[in-house]
């Protein structure tokens, strides 16, 4: 895994970053978001999803929300679907198979909050790992890794 970039971020910087990532995303990409509660994972995911809809010139979903309770929320676009997962409540890898995570991923974009259970049990060839560390109330340290060297 290769570290691509690391930077300090406030909310405005995080929204700009999510739009930049949306601009280079491709079908089949995985985005694993790691960080403590309140670190910015869901904020990034919401802005990223909104940016993909804007890039595809598609009406925004009425509500982009955290998939904490349903575990997955899908957002269909013209040529692919965005799957937004939250694995905070999952306990083992068998639960991943029950939600068909791998069948949904090949020609779509997958965003996973709390990805440890999937990263510890499966191999991926193309993914981004974005770590969010809380520096203070308004500032985060964002570290971006990719499975390949020149992804950004």
């Amino acid at each position: 895994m290769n570290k691509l970039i690391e930077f300090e971020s406030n909310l405005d910087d995080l929204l700009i970053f999510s739009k930049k990532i949306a601009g280079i995303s491709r079908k089949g990409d995985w985005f694993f978001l790691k960080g403590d509660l309140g670190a910015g994972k869901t904020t990034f995911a919401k802005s990223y999803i909104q940016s993909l809809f804007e890039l595809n010139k598609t009406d925004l979903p009425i509500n982009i929300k955290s998939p904490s309770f349903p575990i997955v929320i899908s957002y269909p676009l013209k040529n692919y679907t965005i799957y937004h997962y939250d694995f905070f409540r999952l306990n083992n890898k068998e639960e991943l198979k029950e939600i068909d995570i791998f069948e949904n991923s090949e020609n779509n974009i997958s965003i996973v909050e709390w990805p440890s259970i999937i990263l510890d049990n499966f191999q991926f060839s193309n993914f981004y790992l974005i770590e969010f560390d809380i520096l203070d109330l308004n500032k985060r340290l964002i570290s971006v890794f990719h499975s390949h060297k020149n992804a950004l």
Side-chain angles (χ1 to χ4, degrees):
M1 186 165 24
N2 300 287
K3 184 182 262 187
L4 301 177
I5 189 171
E6 183 173 86
F7 62 97
E8 289 186 11
S9 172
N10 60 28
L11 179 60
D12 291 336
D13 296 334
L14 182 62
L15 300 178
I16 291 167
F17 173 67
S18 67
K19 289 179 187 213
K20 179 179 179 181
I21 292 292
I24 62 169
S25 296
R26 297 179 303 220
K27 291 190 280 187
D29 281 345
W30 287 86
F31 292 88
F32 298 120
L33 311 180
K34 290 179 77 173
D36 291 333
L37 285 171
K41 298 178 301 295
T42 302
T43 300
F44 169 84
K46 287 178 180 182
S47 179
Y48 172 76
I49 292 166
Q50 180 177 343
S51 297
L52 287 173
F53 272 81
E54 290 169 356
L55 287 168
N56 282 277
K57 297 181 170 83
T58 304
D59 291 338
L60 294 173
I62 294 170
N63 191 7
I64 299 173
K65 56 187 177 177
S66 172
S68 295
F69 293 102
I71 299 176
V72 63
I73 299 174
S74 60
Y75 300 95
L77 287 164
K78 294 174 188 170
N79 297 317
Y80 62 94
T81 299
I82 305 161
Y83 288 93
H84 183 192
Y85 299 93
D86 186 320
F87 291 162
F88 183 76
R89 297 183 301 121
L90 296 187
N91 297 310
N92 59 60
K93 66 182 181 180
E94 283 71 35
E95 292 175 303
L96 293 173
K97 294 174 186 171
E98 292 175 19
I99 58 173
D100 295 329
I101 187 167
F102 299 108
E103 294 170 12
N104 295 332
S105 66
E106 189 172 319
N107 291 308
N108 299 297
I109 291 177
S110 301
I111 306 163
V112 180
E113 296 185 45
W114 302 99
S116 294
I117 194 166
I118 195 168
L119 290 173
D120 292 346
N121 290 291
F122 298 96
Q123 296 291 325
F124 293 87
S125 60
N126 183 39
F127 67 90
Y128 291 88
L129 171 62
I130 305 174
E131 295 181 348
F132 300 80
D133 291 307
I134 299 172
L135 298 177
D136 63 34
L137 185 61
N138 298 309
K139 193 168 280 190
R140 306 294 185 260
L141 179 66
I142 310 295
S143 302
V144 182
F145 302 85
H146 195 273
S147 53
H148 303 298
K149 198 170 197 168
N150 298 316
L152 285 180

